Amino acid sequence: MVESARLRRRSLRQTEIVFLQGDPATAVYVVAAGRIRLVRHLADGSSVTMHVARAGETFAEAVLFADFYHCDGIADVGSEVVMIPKPDILRAMAADPAASLGLARLLASQVRDLRSRLELRNVRSASERLLAWMRLNAAGNPPIVRLDRSWTDISADIGLTREAIYRALAALERDGRITRGDGIVGLSVMGGV
Amino acid sequence: MVESARLRRRSLRQTEIVFLQGDPATAVYVVAAGRIRLVRHLADGSSVTMHVARAGETFAEAVLFADFYHCDGIADVGSEVVMIPKPDILRAMAADPAASLGLARLLASQVRDLRSRLELRNVRSASERLLAWMRLNAAGNPPIVRLDRSWTDISADIGLTREAIYRALAALERDGRITRGDGIVGLSVMGGV
DNA sequence: CGAAACGTTGACCGTTTTCAATTACAGTGG
DNA sequence: CCACTGTAATTGAAAACGGTCAACGTTTCG
């Protein structure tokens, strides 16, 4: 998106710090590998994890509109991040009006994605939640889900333990609501509402 | 944000439709009152709720970058919405580069908010989750939460039944971790980590 | 070739959801 | 001004469900 930026890479060991809450806002980041935990420290001394950014995700985008980081960024495991200096982004957006729109578009799609994920969590039943997730991630007719990562990994996204996921998968297959193959899940099309 | 837009208001009765999936993208909306449910219809005939927009929220922002609505918008209860015609927004952003930045800023703050809400759902314990929510919504020192809506309402945000919330409140108060007053909750500052 | 991560299943336990019932109000119409 | 109705706030009890712990076969990768 911001091609001309001077991208600097940085490797981090577990618990190593990317930035601290209160540090001057200098860059937006992309996680190349690993996991970065964003932790907000509150007035009463307690702290809350605001987000865990995983490979491929950007984080601290809000820093574009702030002077300081609002939370700590800490490597959850050995990780690698790419820094995109804030001035570079701002300059690009000032020079090219389309760049701002591009950013807005990116953020809008994230908002949509996050909202649907949040809504997914409102489905209490493990099986129904998993099924809803699969429907959202299926393609084709009949709908098929292609798994590009492990269930163990996916389970965190869905908000269930991996055990719960496997049990739900087994139950759904038992009931004929899905068909499992190698790295693939086929969804049965049910009649009715 | 987009002051000059021709804002049209529209009242909806329960189940009345704002727009349908596939309709040409004409406007972004703001919920003035009530609740609008965004439902996505999938290829296999099933449907999934993507989001429930509540008073004060905007919805269908993504329509700025699409030609059609990607889901249905249906009034969950009697509601009132304000339409902001898409051309108005696009024109404003073309005319004023700061407007695009403003939009990006708005979206970035939503992303941050949504991420923290999602992270909140990863806290399994009802009491801890509620406490985390209160900490994030507290102000002042000692931290105090001012309730601007009913617990019944808030419980949906937190992702617990209202009964679970009341029980968690009772337990936290019993343990001296919070103090309840009229429309107010005081958080106890604990030492340690 | 091992160690680590993934996949899978069983059993048990703790928690939350559900269902129910009760109290406390706030607003409404008579 | 009051009975009346609907929502919010609570609390109890039982049931359902997912989390946790445990065990084990399998795959992956250095």
Side-chain angles (χ1 to χ4, degrees), chain B residues 17 19-24 39-43 47 68-73:
Chain B
I17 287 158
F19 50 72
L20 287 176
Q21 183 169 335
D23 280 357
V39 180
R40 174 93 158 275
H41 296 285
L42 307 166
S47 56
F68 304 96
Y69 288 100
H70 292 352
C71 53
D72 291 355

mmCIF file of all heavy atoms in Angstrom, chain B residues 17 19-24 39-43 47 68-73:
data_model
loop_
_atom_site.group_PDB
_atom_site.id
_atom_site.type_symbol
_atom_site.label_atom_id
_atom_site.label_comp_id
_atom_site.label_asym_id
_atom_site.label_seq_id
_atom_site.Cartn_x
_atom_site.Cartn_y
_atom_site.Cartn_z
ATOM 1 N N ILE B 17 -37.080 -3.249 6.384
ATOM 2 C CA ILE B 17 -35.772 -3.389 5.745
ATOM 3 C C ILE B 17 -35.135 -2.059 5.354
ATOM 4 O O ILE B 17 -35.796 -1.184 4.782
ATOM 5 C CB ILE B 17 -35.921 -4.290 4.496
ATOM 6 C CG1 ILE B 17 -36.115 -5.736 4.956
ATOM 7 C CG2 ILE B 17 -34.711 -4.179 3.593
ATOM 8 C CD1 ILE B 17 -36.771 -6.607 3.944
ATOM 9 N N PHE B 19 -31.943 -2.033 3.679
ATOM 10 C CA PHE B 19 -31.472 -2.370 2.329
ATOM 11 C C PHE B 19 -31.291 -3.871 2.274
ATOM 12 O O PHE B 19 -31.240 -4.542 3.309
ATOM 13 C CB PHE B 19 -30.158 -1.649 1.985
ATOM 14 C CG PHE B 19 -29.094 -1.785 3.047
ATOM 15 C CD1 PHE B 19 -28.434 -2.994 3.241
ATOM 16 C CD2 PHE B 19 -28.743 -0.704 3.849
ATOM 17 C CE1 PHE B 19 -27.453 -3.122 4.220
ATOM 18 C CE2 PHE B 19 -27.768 -0.823 4.835
ATOM 19 C CZ PHE B 19 -27.123 -2.044 5.018
ATOM 20 N N LEU B 20 -31.216 -4.383 1.072
ATOM 21 C CA LEU B 20 -31.040 -5.822 0.907
ATOM 22 C C LEU B 20 -29.685 -6.129 0.293
ATOM 23 O O LEU B 20 -29.154 -5.326 -0.497
ATOM 24 C CB LEU B 20 -32.136 -6.388 0.005
ATOM 25 C CG LEU B 20 -33.533 -6.476 0.618
ATOM 26 C CD1 LEU B 20 -34.531 -6.962 -0.431
ATOM 27 C CD2 LEU B 20 -33.533 -7.397 1.832
ATOM 28 N N GLN B 21 -29.171 -7.260 0.637
ATOM 29 C CA GLN B 21 -27.913 -7.733 0.055
ATOM 30 C C GLN B 21 -28.067 -7.731 -1.467
ATOM 31 O O GLN B 21 -29.022 -8.272 -2.005
ATOM 32 C CB GLN B 21 -27.664 -9.160 0.558
ATOM 33 C CG GLN B 21 -26.350 -9.748 0.089
ATOM 34 C CD GLN B 21 -26.042 -11.052 0.826
ATOM 35 O OE1 GLN B 21 -26.513 -11.262 1.933
ATOM 36 N NE2 GLN B 21 -25.268 -11.916 0.210
ATOM 37 N N GLY B 22 -27.142 -7.084 -2.148
ATOM 38 C CA GLY B 22 -27.217 -7.032 -3.599
ATOM 39 C C GLY B 22 -27.764 -5.713 -4.115
ATOM 40 O O GLY B 22 -27.578 -5.365 -5.278
ATOM 41 N N ASP B 23 -28.427 -4.956 -3.243
ATOM 42 C CA ASP B 23 -28.923 -3.646 -3.656
ATOM 43 C C ASP B 23 -27.749 -2.752 -4.007
ATOM 44 O O ASP B 23 -26.678 -2.863 -3.409
ATOM 45 C CB ASP B 23 -29.702 -2.969 -2.512
ATOM 46 C CG ASP B 23 -31.122 -3.497 -2.384
ATOM 47 O OD1 ASP B 23 -31.511 -4.344 -3.211
ATOM 48 O OD2 ASP B 23 -31.825 -3.073 -1.449
ATOM 49 N N PRO B 24 -27.932 -1.845 -4.956
ATOM 50 C CA PRO B 24 -26.852 -0.914 -5.272
ATOM 51 C C PRO B 24 -26.502 -0.058 -4.056
ATOM 52 O O PRO B 24 -27.390 0.386 -3.325
ATOM 53 C CB PRO B 24 -27.417 -0.058 -6.408
ATOM 54 C CG PRO B 24 -28.827 -0.451 -6.566
ATOM 55 C CD PRO B 24 -29.053 -1.743 -5.877
ATOM 56 N N VAL B 39 -27.452 -8.821 8.219
ATOM 57 C CA VAL B 39 -27.465 -10.257 7.987
ATOM 58 C C VAL B 39 -26.921 -10.617 6.618
ATOM 59 O O VAL B 39 -27.352 -10.062 5.611
ATOM 60 C CB VAL B 39 -28.903 -10.809 8.092
ATOM 61 C CG1 VAL B 39 -28.925 -12.305 7.864
ATOM 62 C CG2 VAL B 39 -29.504 -10.459 9.439
ATOM 63 N N ARG B 40 -25.992 -11.514 6.603
ATOM 64 C CA ARG B 40 -25.369 -11.937 5.359
ATOM 65 C C ARG B 40 -25.987 -13.254 4.931
ATOM 66 O O ARG B 40 -26.056 -14.203 5.694
ATOM 67 C CB ARG B 40 -23.877 -12.123 5.608
ATOM 68 C CG ARG B 40 -23.110 -12.705 4.460
ATOM 69 C CD ARG B 40 -22.542 -11.603 3.607
ATOM 70 N NE ARG B 40 -21.418 -12.120 2.835
ATOM 71 C CZ ARG B 40 -20.177 -12.202 3.291
ATOM 72 N NH1 ARG B 40 -19.892 -11.802 4.523
ATOM 73 N NH2 ARG B 40 -19.221 -12.677 2.531
ATOM 74 N N HIS B 41 -26.427 -13.305 3.682
ATOM 75 C CA HIS B 41 -26.994 -14.549 3.160
ATOM 76 C C HIS B 41 -25.921 -15.290 2.389
ATOM 77 O O HIS B 41 -25.252 -14.708 1.547
ATOM 78 C CB HIS B 41 -28.190 -14.257 2.268
ATOM 79 C CG HIS B 41 -29.314 -13.622 3.020
ATOM 80 N ND1 HIS B 41 -30.130 -14.328 3.869
ATOM 81 C CD2 HIS B 41 -29.711 -12.340 3.105
ATOM 82 C CE1 HIS B 41 -30.991 -13.510 4.431
ATOM 83 N NE2 HIS B 41 -30.758 -12.283 3.978
ATOM 84 N N LEU B 42 -25.781 -16.551 2.683
ATOM 85 C CA LEU B 42 -24.713 -17.326 2.072
ATOM 86 C C LEU B 42 -25.223 -18.181 0.925
ATOM 87 O O LEU B 42 -26.428 -18.384 0.757
ATOM 88 C CB LEU B 42 -24.065 -18.196 3.143
ATOM 89 C CG LEU B 42 -23.624 -17.365 4.365
ATOM 90 C CD1 LEU B 42 -23.303 -18.270 5.540
ATOM 91 C CD2 LEU B 42 -22.433 -16.510 4.008
ATOM 92 N N ALA B 43 -24.266 -18.657 0.171
ATOM 93 C CA ALA B 43 -24.593 -19.417 -1.030
ATOM 94 C C ALA B 43 -25.480 -20.630 -0.737
ATOM 95 O O ALA B 43 -26.327 -21.010 -1.546
ATOM 96 C CB ALA B 43 -23.306 -19.864 -1.724
ATOM 97 N N SER B 47 -27.968 -18.119 6.686
ATOM 98 C CA SER B 47 -27.624 -16.716 6.890
ATOM 99 C C SER B 47 -26.917 -16.541 8.223
ATOM 100 O O SER B 47 -27.090 -17.324 9.135
ATOM 101 C CB SER B 47 -28.883 -15.851 6.833
ATOM 102 O OG SER B 47 -29.825 -16.309 7.782
ATOM 103 N N PHE B 68 -22.280 -2.768 -4.221
ATOM 104 C CA PHE B 68 -23.530 -3.321 -3.708
ATOM 105 C C PHE B 68 -23.419 -3.589 -2.221
ATOM 106 O O PHE B 68 -22.326 -3.772 -1.693
ATOM 107 C CB PHE B 68 -23.855 -4.631 -4.435
ATOM 108 C CG PHE B 68 -23.913 -4.480 -5.919
ATOM 109 C CD1 PHE B 68 -22.801 -4.772 -6.711
ATOM 110 C CD2 PHE B 68 -25.074 -4.028 -6.534
ATOM 111 C CE1 PHE B 68 -22.856 -4.618 -8.093
ATOM 112 C CE2 PHE B 68 -25.135 -3.870 -7.910
ATOM 113 C CZ PHE B 68 -24.020 -4.164 -8.694
ATOM 114 N N TYR B 69 -24.547 -3.648 -1.573
ATOM 115 C CA TYR B 69 -24.551 -4.022 -0.159
ATOM 116 C C TYR B 69 -24.238 -5.510 -0.062
ATOM 117 O O TYR B 69 -24.697 -6.302 -0.874
ATOM 118 C CB TYR B 69 -25.912 -3.719 0.468
ATOM 119 C CG TYR B 69 -26.138 -2.238 0.659
ATOM 120 C CD1 TYR B 69 -26.914 -1.513 -0.236
ATOM 121 C CD2 TYR B 69 -25.547 -1.578 1.716
ATOM 122 C CE1 TYR B 69 -27.100 -0.146 -0.076
ATOM 123 C CE2 TYR B 69 -25.731 -0.205 1.889
ATOM 124 C CZ TYR B 69 -26.500 0.501 0.986
ATOM 125 O OH TYR B 69 -26.673 1.858 1.142
ATOM 126 N N HIS B 70 -23.432 -5.842 0.930
ATOM 127 C CA HIS B 70 -23.027 -7.238 1.089
ATOM 128 C C HIS B 70 -23.893 -7.987 2.085
ATOM 129 O O HIS B 70 -23.642 -9.148 2.370
ATOM 130 C CB HIS B 70 -21.563 -7.304 1.547
ATOM 131 C CG HIS B 70 -20.614 -6.840 0.502
ATOM 132 N ND1 HIS B 70 -21.016 -6.565 -0.790
ATOM 133 C CD2 HIS B 70 -19.284 -6.605 0.529
ATOM 134 C CE1 HIS B 70 -19.970 -6.169 -1.494
ATOM 135 N NE2 HIS B 70 -18.907 -6.178 -0.714
ATOM 136 N N CYS B 71 -24.854 -7.300 2.651
ATOM 137 C CA CYS B 71 -25.750 -7.966 3.592
ATOM 138 C C CYS B 71 -27.059 -7.195 3.677
ATOM 139 O O CYS B 71 -27.166 -6.088 3.154
ATOM 140 C CB CYS B 71 -25.097 -8.048 4.974
ATOM 141 S SG CYS B 71 -24.530 -6.461 5.584
ATOM 142 N N ASP B 72 -28.048 -7.804 4.329
ATOM 143 C CA ASP B 72 -29.319 -7.125 4.545
ATOM 144 C C ASP B 72 -29.204 -6.257 5.782
ATOM 145 O O ASP B 72 -28.485 -6.605 6.720
ATOM 146 C CB ASP B 72 -30.439 -8.129 4.825
ATOM 147 C CG ASP B 72 -30.799 -8.960 3.601
ATOM 148 O OD1 ASP B 72 -30.244 -8.692 2.528
ATOM 149 O OD2 ASP B 72 -31.635 -9.859 3.758
ATOM 150 N N GLY B 73 -29.926 -5.163 5.785
ATOM 151 C CA GLY B 73 -30.037 -4.359 6.984
ATOM 152 C C GLY B 73 -31.500 -4.378 7.400
ATOM 153 O O GLY B 73 -32.364 -3.952 6.635
#
